[in-house]
Amino acid sequence: MKKNTVKSNQVPIYRDAGFVLVDPDTTKRAFKDELDHPRSPDLYIYSRYRNPTVVAAEEKIMELERCEWALLTQSGMSAIDLALSIFQTGEGTGNWLFFSEIYGGTNSFIDRVLKFRRGLNIERFSPNDGVYDLLALEHMLNSLKPEVVYFEAISNPMIMVADAEAIIKLAKKAGARVILDNTFATPYLWNPLEMGADIVLHSATKYLSGHNNITAGVVCGNDPELKKSAIEYRKYVGHMLSPDDASRLSSQIRTFELRIQRHCDNAFNLSRVLHDHPKVETVLYPGLPSHPSHETAKKLFGGKGFGAMITFDMAGSDLKQKGEAAARFIQAISDTIPLIPTLGDAGTTLLHVESVWGEKYPLPGMIRLSVGIDPFDKLKEAILKGLEQV
Ligand code: PLP
């Protein structure tokens, strides 16, 4: 039968679990090269090892993160496991330093997997009054001599921006390898590998895919030895993204820059509306000159933007009143801005901080907005209407 010769500018979805191998010699070569990333169509073996649809999406991310390699996984959490496991070689655990203001799931992973199950020596570095003290960090690095330092440039849910360039320099001077979760800032705002980080990872569930319709993760780097180790770990643990999700990611990445530009512009403008509103007490957004990280964010992101996450606290005479105000606002606005516990979707979504992180942040009036790419006037109107009902 004649093969289909239709020309397409989409990446085909290869759903094969195992691929047809040409002959025994090619099979030998394929298995020998399995830890590499060739484009040769003859060298694909099995989709848990590598898959052409997934490779095509990885190449798109390599362009965005300006890196030598990118490996997709089936969630941000598996990307975190992959990135951290590269450095667990069984030759003694050493010390690992994690910044405290990172994604809650990562913090739980540290406690329940790295410490409890794998017995790693974990230390945490916390900010002072919403700012990471670099002198205190230097002191800790010198006394701890950690093998790995792990942090995020924009913290969640307090939207604090770390002086990442200085932190990377200090960590490298102390001999540590640096892993950065760049989910919130995105490669649109900055590329941590260009500033010396060893590994950058993302929950691609968020801005990279941008439509709240897949879960995915990615680990990026330049070092070929780390790449080898990462490919091996992904293969044996099976942290591979599915070709269908990779295809969706590839299509949605085409609009990445446009989306993030609009996300950032909308958030910048909306932060001012919230800041000037009498029913809002505090707005945490690094684009506001009053924010403690404003200058750091300007320097780190080179004026490209300040991200699209805003956390704000409702006005009220006490916590009870603030909590009631937040509940009324969330209810009033739910048709246009839904309560969804994720972020980075093209549509604006919100989350009630205390319901998710009540132990760490017992602040019932606090709401985290993931600002979308909606027409700004509509977004502003929805927010103002919601606040009117409070
Ligand atoms: N990193 C950050 C900063 C996140 O916000 C999340 C999830 O919200 C993750 C990692 C985990 O990603 P996923 O939910 O895709 O596993």
Side-chain angles (χ1 to χ4, degrees):
M1 194 173 68
K2 202 166 179 280
K3 288 238 171 180
N4 183 355
T5 53
V6 170
K7 285 189 182 148
S8 161
N9 79 343
Q10 297 290 315
V11 180
I13 304 177
Y14 291 94
R15 292 204 178 95
D16 310 58
F19 293 92
V20 177
L21 287 156
V22 181
D23 55 30
D25 273 354
T26 320
T27 309
K28 262 188 222 157
R29 252 185 71 211
F31 274 94
K32 215 166 140 223
D33 285 353
E34 69 185 299
L35 291 182
D36 208 351
H37 232 180
R39 284 167 186 233
S40 166
D42 289 346
L43 299 181
Y44 287 95
I45 305 169
Y46 190 60
S47 274
R48 174 163 52 76
Y49 304 180
R50 67 176 168 242
N51 171 289
T53 314
V54 176
V55 168
E58 288 171 345
E59 285 173 354
K60 289 190 161 58
I61 293 175
M62 282 158 62
E63 269 176 42
L64 293 179
E65 266 309 352
R66 300 186 194 183
C67 58
E68 294 295 322
W69 56 268
L71 296 178
L72 280 163
T73 62
Q74 71 281 61
S75 70
M77 287 315 297
S78 52
I80 289 168
D81 181 40
L82 175 56
L84 291 167
S85 298
I86 299 173
F87 300 101
Q88 290 161 34
T89 57
E91 296 164 0
T93 62
N95 292 316
W96 293 46
L97 183 60
F98 288 82
F99 281 41
S100 61
E101 304 313 292
I102 53 177
Y103 169 56
T106 312
N107 263 322
S108 303
F109 178 80
I110 292 167
D111 291 331
R112 301 305 305 158
V113 178
L114 297 185
K115 276 168 101 170
F116 179 67
R117 290 186 165 77
R118 298 188 192 165
L120 297 190
N121 303 324
I122 307 284
E123 295 287 338
R124 284 192 169 91
F125 182 67
S126 303
N128 246 339
D129 284 335
V131 180
Y132 288 121
D133 177 343
L134 294 184
L135 268 180
L137 174 66
E138 194 169 12
H139 184 71
M140 197 167 187
L141 286 166
N142 287 335
S143 63
L144 205 64
K145 289 277 172 227
E147 282 177 15
V148 169
V149 169
Y150 182 108
F151 72 106
E152 294 175 13
I154 302 182
S155 78
N156 180 26
M158 293 303 170
I159 324 295
M160 180 185 102
V161 180
D163 189 345
E165 193 173 4
I167 292 168
I168 294 171
K169 274 199 186 123
L170 287 176
K172 300 298 290 182
K173 202 171 132 203
R177 308 300 292 261
V178 176
I179 305 178
L180 242 143
D181 180 337
N182 201 24
T183 301
F184 271 46
T186 81
Y188 176 82
L189 290 183
W190 76 306
N191 296 110
L193 292 166
E194 291 194 334
M195 287 193 190
D198 295 282
I199 295 284
V200 168
L201 65 91
H202 289 267
S203 164
T205 312
K206 313 296 184 325
Y207 292 105
L208 290 178
S209 61
H211 293 70
N212 193 27
N213 58 3
I214 62 166
T215 67
V218 67
V219 178
C220 309
N222 288 325
D223 183 329
E225 286 306 309
L226 296 182
K227 173 188 175 187
K228 240 185 186 174
S229 179
I231 289 178
E232 181 187 71
Y233 187 80
R234 180 177 67 171
K235 175 185 155 188
Y236 292 134
V237 176
H239 277 338
M240 178 56 105
L241 188 66
S242 77
D244 285 83
D245 284 346
S247 158
R248 205 166 290 162
L249 179 59
S250 273
S251 312
Q252 292 166 190
I253 278 184
R254 293 167 82 178
T255 56
F256 172 80
E257 298 223 343
L258 265 180
R259 279 190 282 111
I260 306 301
Q261 217 167 32
R262 178 67 168 257
H263 274 291
C264 290
D265 287 352
N266 273 355
F268 185 85
N269 293 328
L270 193 62
S271 71
R272 269 113 187 113
V273 172
L274 290 165
H275 181 266
D276 294 340
H277 202 284
K279 289 184 182 166
V280 174
E281 194 171 288
T282 318
V283 182
L284 301 174
Y285 182 67
L288 288 168
S290 57
H291 191 277
S293 306
H294 181 62
E295 290 305 322
T296 308
K298 261 198 331 203
K299 192 179 74 169
L300 187 64
F301 304 143
K304 281 191 189 160
F306 297 92
M309 302 302 295
I310 303 177
T311 295
F312 65 96
D313 198 18
M314 303 298 292
S317 56
D318 56 24
L319 286 181
K320 187 167 175 283
Q321 214 183 66
K322 282 168 175 253
E324 284 164 4
R328 241 173 280 142
F329 174 76
I330 290 167
Q331 187 63 41
I333 210 165
S334 62
D335 280 349
T336 39
I337 301 182
L339 192 155
I340 303 182
T342 186
L343 62 113
D345 182 29
T348 303
T349 59
L350 61 76
L351 182 151
H352 183 236
V353 169
E354 196 209 24
S355 313
V356 181
W357 301 284
E359 251 177 54
K360 194 167 176 187
Y361 302 109
L363 302 164
M366 209 163 242
I367 289 167
R368 189 194 76 178
L369 272 180
S370 167
V371 180
I373 62 172
D374 331 62
F376 182 70
D377 289 345
K378 275 195 177 160
L379 181 59
K380 180 176 164 188
E381 191 187 314
I383 294 279
L384 290 178
K385 259 193 187 161
L387 287 170
E388 244 171 51
Q389 319 239 345
V390 171

